[in-house]
Amino acid sequence: MRAALKRFARNRMAVLGACVIGLVALLTALAPLLYPAGAFTLAGPPLQPPGLRYLLGTDALGRDVAAGVVAGARTSLLIGLSAALSAVLFGSLIGALAGYYRGAVDIVLMRLTEFFQTIPAFLLAMLLVVILSPSVFSVIIAISAVSWPGIARLVRGEFVALGGREFVLASIGLGASGPRIIFRHLLPNCVSAIIAVGSLLVASAILLESGLAFLGLGDPNVMSWGLLISAGRVTLRSAWWVCTFPGIAILLTVLSINLIGDGLNEALNPRLRER
Amino acid sequence: MRRWRYFGYRLAFALPVVFGILVLNFFLIQLAPGDAASVLAGESGAASPEYTAMLREKFGLDRPLLEQFLAYIGNAVQFNLGYSFRNDSPVFELILARLGPTLLLMLTAFGAALTLGTALGVLAAVARNSWRDALISVVTLICYATPVFWLGLMLIVVFSVNLNWLPTSGFENIAEGYEGWERWVDIGRHLIMPGTALGLFYLALYTRVMRASMLEQTGMDYVTTARAKGQTERKIVFGHMLRNAFLPVLTMAGVQAGNLIGGSVVVETVFGWPGLGTLAFNALQSRDLNLLLGIFFISASLVVIINLVVELLTITLDPRIQA
């Protein structure tokens, strides 16, 4: 683990990404101090350009864009992390079952996985949010429902590769039960691969969330970057800043998470040389 | 010939996928709060229980689920995807009218991203660890993290609002009454920004995959052989490696086809492009579930078709593939 940490620390881009995410997390934590009034309250005159008083300007209703960006960070991180986590859990379970039991179970589960990989993910997420009615919870459900197939295929592949190894055969010989072999012996051996791919899922989940919120499918009571951008669209011609800054926030966050993911991949799976 | 058997196998797999989408759609209808009858009754204003019950009977919503399911499949097979009461028109007709612009946008973005991505990937791999490689990596990383709708809005700010070079939205300038070539040029001008917004993410993706794939080929025996024969670098790269390295990119592109449609929904919304995406957005605003499910079904079927085309291309490019 320490060796992996060292390898990660040597990757300058990954460390930079980690710093940016750390900063975003810090802003989220400090939000109640920085903007105690919240993101929905009127802060001043409408459509003020960025300046000393309103760092990132104000929108058409006179809300502070900077307050919105800070509040949106919390939403994006929350939804991105929870959706990626539940997708990882569900995907790992499906992949583990398919890879351990093989045979008919494998065929059925992998066909299901391929099916979910084929259908247009964003449209399915849209449908799910519409049907479950927009809320933070339904957005998380929708995003994880379309994000799990990649993890399932990864875990299945690892399980199949590990299946014939001596330590697995030894456990079977000792009479270990299926769940015990899956959770105690096989899954821990896949953790580094799962972490590397799962961290990239956080990035794609944040992109999905912002797209849904932009189309008006976010939680209407929670400030998010996508919502800010869709609100700023109306005044795009006269006030570019309302749309621009939340977008830059998304870009930087997603970019940083991708960098961290690449760094983790290199640090945790050193045998897979970066091509 | 065995290659065609392989294709037949893929084709046989495509049909269950289409059937699966129908099953999923039916499941989603059941999941939705309230049924079509209560929605209709609510819309007409007179929602007496008797009226709702009558509607339910009329649409067969009081029948057992299995019977409803069979009726749903039976209708869908005949391209009857239900009726959009908001638009007062059958869902399938609405979709058919919007399919053309979406296909134009998607295929343009896809084609451009694939061609340019392959070229950039080769360039980066050939000049590995040079400033060109570094520049390409940085640009792809940024494109990879940019939300398409935001990119679209930024393009509008720069190229329409400030520079006034390109039209902000729509498919063509009908008021000008262009005909023939002029009309296509006009459509092309409208296509540039949405195509760029949609394609840039995939450009980044294909560049990354192509670069990795090219670098994987460099160590192969056939490359060493070609080099030992004294072939020029240019010939080795373009004559030997390109074709082999392109296959993983093509496979990746096939897998990503579904996401391309999702991206097109968002891009069309930004640019007012009169395709399936704008239709989906309007259906979203009016919570027209029937229409949304129809769009989902047709888009998913489209992805299946695109996958088959990609499969066909792969078979043509790689004679080793057999059933």
Side-chain angles (χ1 to χ4, degrees), chain B residues 56-84:
Chain B
R56 223 164 251 150
E57 204 184 324
K58 190 176 158 203
F59 293 113
L61 293 169
D62 54 347
R63 305 261 173 76
L65 267 187
L66 184 69
E67 212 172 299
Q68 282 189 48
F69 177 66
L70 291 177
Y72 181 77
I73 301 285
N75 281 333
V77 171
Q78 301 165 46
F79 293 110
N80 176 3
L81 297 173
Y83 198 79
S84 165

Side-chain angles (χ1 to χ4, degrees), chain A residues 16-42:
Chain A
L16 185 69
C19 289
V20 173
I21 293 301
L23 197 70
V24 173
L26 189 70
L27 272 180
T28 309
L30 291 180
L33 291 173
L34 290 171
Y35 298 99
F40 284 104
T41 43
L42 305 187

Side-chain angles (χ1 to χ4, degrees), chain B:
Chain B
M1 269 308 99
R2 296 187 64 181
R3 291 153 70 185
W4 297 109
R5 216 159 78 202
Y6 175 77
F7 185 68
Y9 167 74
R10 300 304 302 183
L11 197 66
F13 175 62
L15 289 175
V17 171
V18 175
F19 181 74
I21 300 159
L22 286 174
V23 174
L24 184 63
N25 261 0
F26 186 75
F27 173 73
L28 288 173
I29 296 174
Q30 302 305 319
L31 197 67
D35 56 10
S38 56
V39 172
L40 273 181
E43 223 141 86
S44 66
S48 73
E50 293 81 22
Y51 180 64
T52 320
M54 191 208 69
L55 279 175
R56 223 164 251 150
E57 204 184 324
K58 190 176 158 203
F59 293 113
L61 293 169
D62 54 347
R63 305 261 173 76
L65 267 187
L66 184 69
E67 212 172 299
Q68 282 189 48
F69 177 66
L70 291 177
Y72 181 77
I73 301 285
N75 281 333
V77 171
Q78 301 165 46
F79 293 110
N80 176 3
L81 297 173
Y83 198 79
S84 165
F85 292 93
R86 296 280 179 177
N87 294 288
D88 205 16
S89 164
V91 165
F92 188 66
E93 273 176 30
L94 282 170
I95 293 175
L96 214 56
R98 300 296 194 95
L99 202 54
T102 293
L103 278 179
L104 179 67
L105 173 62
M106 267 177 55
L107 293 179
T108 310
F110 181 67
L114 200 58
T115 326
L116 273 174
T118 310
L120 284 177
V122 171
L123 192 66
V126 170
R128 193 184 178 189
N129 295 333
S130 70
W131 64 269
R132 259 180 292 180
D133 186 22
L135 182 71
I136 291 174
S137 317
V138 170
V139 173
T140 50
L141 269 171
I142 292 173
C143 292
Y144 203 63
T146 311
V148 283
F149 57 92
W150 181 73
L151 179 63
L153 292 172
M154 291 301 111
L155 288 175
I156 291 179
V157 169
V158 175
F159 293 103
S160 298
V161 177
N162 286 325
L163 295 172
N164 209 7
W165 285 353
L166 293 166
T168 46
S169 69
F171 183 69
E172 60 181 322
N173 206 339
I174 295 173
E176 298 288 331
Y178 291 127
E179 273 175 28
W181 268 111
E182 280 192 320
R183 177 164 176 246
W184 282 106
V185 170
D186 184 40
I187 292 177
R189 275 169 50 84
H190 282 82
L191 184 59
I192 292 175
M193 285 201 297
T196 310
L198 181 59
L200 223 49
F201 176 86
Y202 298 95
L203 173 68
L205 187 68
Y206 301 152
T207 305
R208 282 182 81 162
V209 179
M210 188 66 191
R211 177 179 178 274
S213 180
M214 280 298 278
L215 290 180
E216 200 168 303
Q217 299 292 327
T218 36
M220 294 281 195
D221 288 343
Y222 75 90
V223 178
T224 315
T225 311
R227 202 160 279 147
K229 275 197 322 188
Q231 229 160 29
T232 57
E233 272 311 297
R234 176 184 293 265
K235 213 152 183 213
I236 294 172
V237 169
F238 293 102
H240 294 274
M241 288 162 68
L242 187 66
R243 191 158 137 177
N244 282 307
F246 184 63
L247 287 170
V249 181
L250 197 60
T251 311
M252 174 73 158
V255 173
Q256 289 285 336
N259 292 347
L260 202 60
I261 288 195
S264 137
V265 171
V266 184
V267 169
E268 284 181 19
T269 316
V270 171
F271 289 98
W273 188 258
L276 282 185
T278 306
L279 190 66
F281 182 69
N282 294 337
L284 208 64
Q285 299 304 78
S286 55
R287 294 292 187 265
D288 190 341
L289 192 59
N290 244 358
L291 184 52
L292 269 180
L293 287 168
I295 293 170
F296 180 57
F297 173 64
I298 295 294
S299 323
S301 309
L302 206 62
V303 173
V304 172
I305 294 171
I306 293 175
N307 277 332
L308 283 175
V309 172
V310 167
E311 203 74 52
L312 209 58
L313 273 174
T314 315
I315 292 176
T316 324
L317 282 174
D318 189 353
R320 289 167 303 183
I321 293 176
Q322 292 180 341

Side-chain angles (χ1 to χ4, degrees), chain A residues 118-171:
Chain A
T118 309
I119 56 179
F122 190 74
L123 281 174
L124 179 59
M126 269 170 62
L127 270 171
L128 283 173
V129 175
V130 168
I131 287 171
L132 300 172
S133 76
S135 70
V136 169
F137 183 67
S138 68
V139 171
I140 292 174
I141 295 279
I143 293 175
S144 33
V146 300
S147 306
W148 63 270
I151 295 281
R153 293 185 74 153
L154 174 84
V155 172
R156 178 194 173 268
E158 295 276 313
F159 266 48
V160 170
L162 290 170
R165 295 270 286 272
E166 284 87 350
F167 72 95
V168 181
L169 298 178
S171 327

